[in-house]
Amino acid sequence: MGLQRGEWGLLMTMLHGNDAERVTVRPGKVRCEVQRLAQPRDAVQRTSTERREAGVIARVIGGESEAFYELVSPYERQVFLVALSLLKNYADAEDVAQETILKAFKSLSRFRHEAKFSTWLVQITINEAKMRLRKNRPHLYDSLDPHHENEEGRHIPRDFADWREIPSDALERSELRQALTQTMMSLSEKYRTVMILRDVQHLSTKETAQILDLTVEAVKTRLNRARLMMRDALALGFYGCWSRRTADGKVRSL
Amino acid sequence: MLTCAEFLAEFGDYVENAASPDVRAKLEEHLHECKSCQVIVDSTRKTIRIVTDSASFTLAADKVEPIVRDVMARIRTKKR
């Protein structure tokens, strides 16, 4: 089941809505590969949120299961949106979000305070979502990106004469938001995931690298390409149907 | 001076105003001479703003609220 036309706008609303609730959290990690990337932080460096969460985790591990609700609720939306950005449909995203949270509960005793709890949770989400993708469509998973890449895999930006004048009111239109989401979803998974984590979820390059088990340089490279591909798609839109539909014909700079 | 390909391989930090002074100087030397890359930098910055801008969006909490509640129900069921 794919998203219907009206749902793309909703997705963008949700993606952006998440930013307002984003919270800085506390250290943790699951996989051993992450340990070499994560910089261990001592208790003194933890934020108050991280310290509070460490206390809640201790309670859950000690048998107070109900405290788990308090621990994961702040990240419910983030988990759902990361799953949705990878899976592109609500039913699978909801399943994966539930599986992720359940897995986090079961694995909590293996959580180590060397990365943020939210980082650990997003990492589980991505692993679960990728497993679901492989299960759903193994032949399509991680297929080569059809966009403009040369033989070294480097993205070649389209050459537009000038992109400096974009109708601001176009940004208010649902077509643009839909196009933005569709373009995001059309990126291959490796670029989309990095862009969602960095530009939509506003995670740092280092956190993104930890979650995806990539080097910081690889995250930067993928983000670069994702942004250039997104730019190409948006620019085509502005030079095509969107700009012709401007209500009053005025063109303002962003 | 950098080629366009070299410029594009390194311009990520620059568009976020996070490049080190020496990298920035190197990139700006190219940028000063290259109209195409000026347009790419400008439009990429705008793209990032469009993607990250949340000003015109509102929350839609109802779509995701039941997830943790449902998981808690499953945890309670398994404990019984």
Side-chain angles (χ1 to χ4, degrees):
Chain A
M1 184 189 80
L3 291 186
Q4 300 303 305
R5 184 177 170 78
E7 292 177 323
W8 292 111
L10 177 61
L11 173 58
M12 280 316 287
T13 301
M14 294 164 67
L15 289 170
H16 286 277
N18 187 51
D19 297 339
E21 291 192 350
R22 202 164 50 82
V23 182
T24 303
V25 232
R26 86 191 175 98
K29 72 111 249 196
V30 227
R31 293 159 54 194
C32 55
E33 303 96 285
V34 178
Q35 279 178 315
R36 66 185 159 76
L37 291 166
Q39 293 295 315
R41 299 187 291 171
D42 62 36
V44 179
Q45 291 175 293
R46 291 184 196 158
T47 65
S48 59
T49 307
E50 290 167 349
R51 286 194 294 273
R52 182 181 57 75
E53 286 183 341
V56 179
I57 288 170
R59 281 163 54 203
V60 177
I61 292 171
E64 199 183 323
S65 305
E66 287 301 317
F68 186 65
Y69 184 87
E70 181 189 334
L71 179 67
V72 292
S73 286
Y75 310 114
E76 179 175 56
R77 185 181 299 268
Q78 186 174 31
V79 165
F80 181 79
L81 291 171
V82 169
L84 187 57
S85 71
L86 281 166
L87 297 163
K88 307 185 195 177
N89 79 71
Y90 284 116
D92 279 352
E94 197 167 325
D95 273 1
V96 163
Q98 287 204 11
E99 290 306 320
T100 295
I101 290 167
L102 196 58
K103 192 162 188 170
F105 176 76
K106 290 174 180 169
S107 312
L108 203 57
S109 61
R110 296 201 294 275
F111 175 77
R112 300 288 175 267
H113 298 243
E114 291 161 1
K116 290 179 180 178
F117 177 71
S118 59
T119 302
W120 183 72
L121 205 53
V122 170
Q123 189 175 44
I124 298 175
T125 312
I126 287 175
N127 289 342
E128 291 290 313
K130 284 185 174 179
M131 278 168 56
R132 178 65 64 105
L133 278 176
R134 287 191 190 100
K135 190 175 148 196
N136 286 0
R137 15 168 226 171
H139 60 294
L140 290 177
Y141 182 71
D142 218 6
S143 60
L144 287 173
D145 185 73
H147 288 269
H148 307 80
E149 287 189 4
N150 64 9
E151 51 281 356
E152 287 90 36
R154 182 175 288 169
H155 178 76
I156 304 166
R158 290 168 193 265
D159 190 11
F160 296 106
D162 199 340
W163 220 72
R164 293 182 186 197
E165 293 183 306
I166 295 171
S168 304
D169 50 358
L171 295 174
E172 303 301 320
R173 290 207 294 271
S174 60
E175 300 105 290
L176 174 62
R177 274 182 278 163
Q178 284 177 12
L180 192 60
T181 314
Q182 282 172 335
T183 304
M184 178 83 83
M185 294 306 171
S186 74
L187 299 181
S188 68
E189 179 265 321
K190 66 178 183 178
Y191 298 123
R192 186 170 71 248
T193 309
V194 168
M195 195 169 209
I196 291 279
L197 295 180
R198 285 282 287 109
D199 284 346
V200 179
Q201 302 278 336
H202 299 287
L203 299 186
S204 69
T205 304
K206 190 177 154 191
E207 284 172 318
T208 306
Q210 286 177 2
I211 287 168
L212 300 175
D213 192 23
L214 294 170
T215 63
V216 164
E217 281 311 306
V219 168
K220 287 183 176 181
T221 303
R222 288 187 188 186
L223 183 63
N224 248 355
R225 291 181 193 167
R227 285 168 169 174
L228 288 171
M229 287 189 274
M230 183 66 90
R231 163 199 171 270
D232 284 359
L234 290 176
L236 279 177
F238 284 122
Y239 279 98
C241 56
W242 300 336
S243 56
R244 284 200 299 272
R245 288 189 206 166
T246 326
D248 56 8
K250 286 182 185 172
V251 173
R252 284 175 290 166
S253 173
L254 283 172
Chain B
M1 198 173 77
L2 296 177
T3 63
C4 291
E6 288 166 341
F7 175 87
L8 290 172
E10 292 200 46
F11 92 129
D13 285 341
Y14 182 76
V15 293
E16 295 187 75
N17 298 317
S20 62
D22 54 327
V23 170
R24 191 171 68 233
K26 204 169 59 170
L27 294 172
E28 284 179 347
E29 184 190 4
H30 174 88
L31 210 49
H32 188 68
E33 303 293 327
C34 181
K35 169 80 174 166
S36 288
C37 287
Q38 285 172 26
V39 172
I40 289 171
V41 166
D42 182 63
S43 56
T44 302
R45 281 186 170 142
K46 283 173 179 163
T47 300
I48 296 167
R49 278 179 59 186
I50 291 169
V51 174
T52 58
D53 182 19
S54 61
S56 56
F57 300 100
T58 54
L59 291 172
D62 58 318
K63 270 282 173 189
V64 291
E65 274 184 354
I67 292 170
V68 176
R69 283 210 305 266
D70 289 353
V71 172
M72 291 308 294
R74 285 165 71 180
I75 289 170
R76 288 183 203 114
T77 307
K78 284 182 182 175
K79 283 189 76 176
R80 279 183 200 134

